[in-house]
Amino acid sequence: MVIFEHELPTPGGLRRGPGRAIRWCAAVPLLLIAFVGAPLLVLAELEWASYLAVDKLYGAATWVPDAGELLVLGQVLGVLYTVILVLLIILRHSPRTWPKLALIATVPISLGTLVTYDDFPSENPPSAFERFVVGTPFLTGAVAIAIGLAASYAAARILTSPLALDVVNGKLDLTIRLRGKGRLRIRHDRLMLDKLRFPGGAPRQGPPKYSTRVTQLGIDLRDVHKVETGQFDSATEYAHPNGATQPLSPGPGLRVVGTHQQWLLPLDDPEAVSAAINRRIATAPAARSMWVAGAYAYMLIGIIGVAGAIVAVVTTFTQAKPSYLLGALFYAAIGFGGLAAYSKSARKIRKMQDEPAGGHHGRLDDPPPTWHATV
């Protein structure tokens, strides 16, 4: 069966699903646990451990941080959550990255739990429970990290699987595992193929000036000319133009033909995946997103710089410290420089993904002999 990009396919092969509203109602509490609840657990434990340590070491009835400590804590949390918020906005369509963002929310704060107290005076010894709380706070940090990862991963799974019509009609990335090796990602604006096998090892993925090949391949949905279901008759390997090889096992599969590439994908449910791709093609945006994988170091530097500038400006007006304006200008220069470098690198990497070095071997209209399209 051949479906071209201008057709809006029927939901054949796709279940209706529970609906996006129900999925989001289940996922939002998990995301709040991952990005707010887990860090608050660490901060509460640190506050409790510090209070017990000060109470036993110095006999203080209460321990209250001074204004300077609160200012530093507020600045650190301000930069941290500004970075997380910006990354969530940028990667809002990529749920597979949310567990990594949850690590950003919990790991820096959990580093504070590595500080322990064990030098208590003999005249005021702590109880066994207090010694446990004060001496092993890192356990709370480890638990918080695990909670953040599990909650964010569960939220991503709820929103994107199983493959159903309500999921396809949204804009979140859909991940399809291939038989053997490889992974197809159906984005809202393009198809991505990664986790490929490279004979002799994968090339370095990074800024184009350091790499002549990419580990990921991409086809914009607007450039997809044909999505074809079929069968592979025998086991063989298909060579991609970036040097990767795709093992093709006998069984059902999918053939995707774009302007510069064709992909042969061994899939267990090609009808459902074909319907998902074509429905995304029918609603693909005209504008092409600039955010692509690769050179993320530039993007992180830029976001951290902008976040630091924002926090410095806020501190200038709230704490009446004009000297912070110089820091704001410094951070702003770093931030916009990093974002400019990322933008330039992202455009080059995207072109390399869409038009891999070496071109395509053979005509795009000619499938290999082992492929037979479904009539």
Side-chain angles (χ1 to χ4, degrees):
M1 178 178 63
V2 179
I3 305 177
F4 294 91
E5 65 174 330
H6 63 272
E7 298 178 1
L8 181 61
T10 60
L14 290 175
R15 295 184 296 271
R16 292 288 177 182
R20 280 181 286 174
I22 295 177
R23 290 179 185 269
W24 276 105
C25 286
V28 167
L30 293 173
L31 292 174
L32 290 176
I33 290 173
F35 291 99
V36 180
L40 283 180
L41 175 64
V42 178
L43 290 175
E45 202 284 337
L46 287 175
E47 173 75 13
W48 191 17
S50 299
Y51 166 73
L52 289 177
V54 172
D55 182 36
K56 295 298 180 182
L57 286 173
Y58 305 109
T62 58
W63 177 77
V64 179
D66 59 30
E69 292 172 330
L70 289 176
L71 176 61
V72 173
L73 178 61
Q75 290 174 333
V76 171
L77 292 178
V79 171
L80 181 64
Y81 274 90
T82 300
V83 171
I84 293 172
L85 180 61
V86 173
L87 287 175
L88 277 175
I89 293 173
I90 294 173
L91 302 173
R92 64 190 181 278
H93 295 146
S94 301
R96 69 188 182 89
T97 64
W98 294 350
K100 299 177 183 178
L101 299 184
L103 288 178
I104 298 177
T106 53
V107 169
I109 298 175
S110 297
L111 292 177
T113 63
L114 298 178
V115 179
T116 60
Y117 304 90
D118 55 12
D119 186 19
F120 297 102
S122 57
E123 64 275 7
N124 188 24
S127 65
F129 179 70
E130 291 173 341
R131 184 176 291 277
F132 174 78
V133 171
V134 175
T136 58
F138 55 86
L139 291 178
T140 303
V143 170
I145 292 173
I147 291 175
L149 284 174
S152 57
Y153 177 79
R157 292 284 295 175
I158 288 173
L159 292 172
T160 58
S161 63
L163 189 63
L165 189 61
D166 59 340
V167 171
V168 172
N169 287 337
K171 292 187 177 182
L172 297 181
D173 295 359
L174 308 178
T175 300
I176 312 296
R177 298 284 179 180
L178 306 182
R179 289 198 309 273
K181 187 72 173 177
R183 181 177 66 178
L184 172 68
R185 286 190 286 126
I186 308 174
R187 305 192 64 194
H188 70 290
D189 60 345
R190 66 196 271 107
L191 302 177
M192 298 294 299
L193 193 61
D194 58 10
K195 302 293 183 181
L196 300 171
R197 184 175 65 183
F198 288 85
R204 183 185 185 277
Q205 173 81 27
K209 63 184 291 188
Y210 301 116
S211 175
T212 58
R213 292 190 295 174
V214 287
T215 59
Q216 300 176 337
L217 296 173
I219 302 177
D220 276 2
L221 291 178
R222 295 294 184 182
D223 294 334
V224 175
H225 303 311
K226 183 184 294 183
V227 180
E228 184 179 70
T229 61
Q231 292 279 334
F232 298 106
D233 291 340
S234 59
T236 184
E237 287 190 345
Y238 178 73
H240 288 286
N242 66 336
T245 58
Q246 178 71 57
L248 304 177
S249 58
L254 197 68
R255 176 173 173 246
V256 179
V257 179
T259 302
H260 302 285
Q261 305 175 64
Q262 79 165 334
W263 297 346
L264 297 179
L265 310 174
L267 295 166
D268 293 329
D269 193 4
E271 292 288 346
V273 176
S274 173
I277 292 175
N278 280 280
R279 289 188 73 86
R280 286 285 174 97
I281 290 175
T283 59
R288 306 190 181 201
S289 171
M290 66 168 285
W291 304 106
V292 299
Y296 275 137
Y298 292 149
M299 183 175 66
L300 286 175
I301 291 173
I303 293 174
I304 292 173
V306 173
I310 293 173
V311 172
V313 171
V314 172
T315 304
T316 299
F317 292 100
T318 57
Q319 301 295 322
K321 294 183 178 181
S323 60
Y324 274 62
L325 285 176
L326 294 178
L329 293 175
F330 173 75
Y331 280 116
I334 293 177
F336 287 109
L339 292 178
Y342 176 80
S343 175
K344 181 179 179 180
S345 177
R347 286 193 295 268
K348 292 182 178 179
I349 290 178
R350 188 183 186 111
K351 183 175 179 61
M352 291 167 63
Q353 291 174 347
D354 292 348
E355 303 176 32
H360 192 277
H361 304 290
R363 288 172 50 84
L364 292 177
D365 293 334
D366 296 335
T370 186
W371 171 258
H372 292 283
T374 304
V375 179

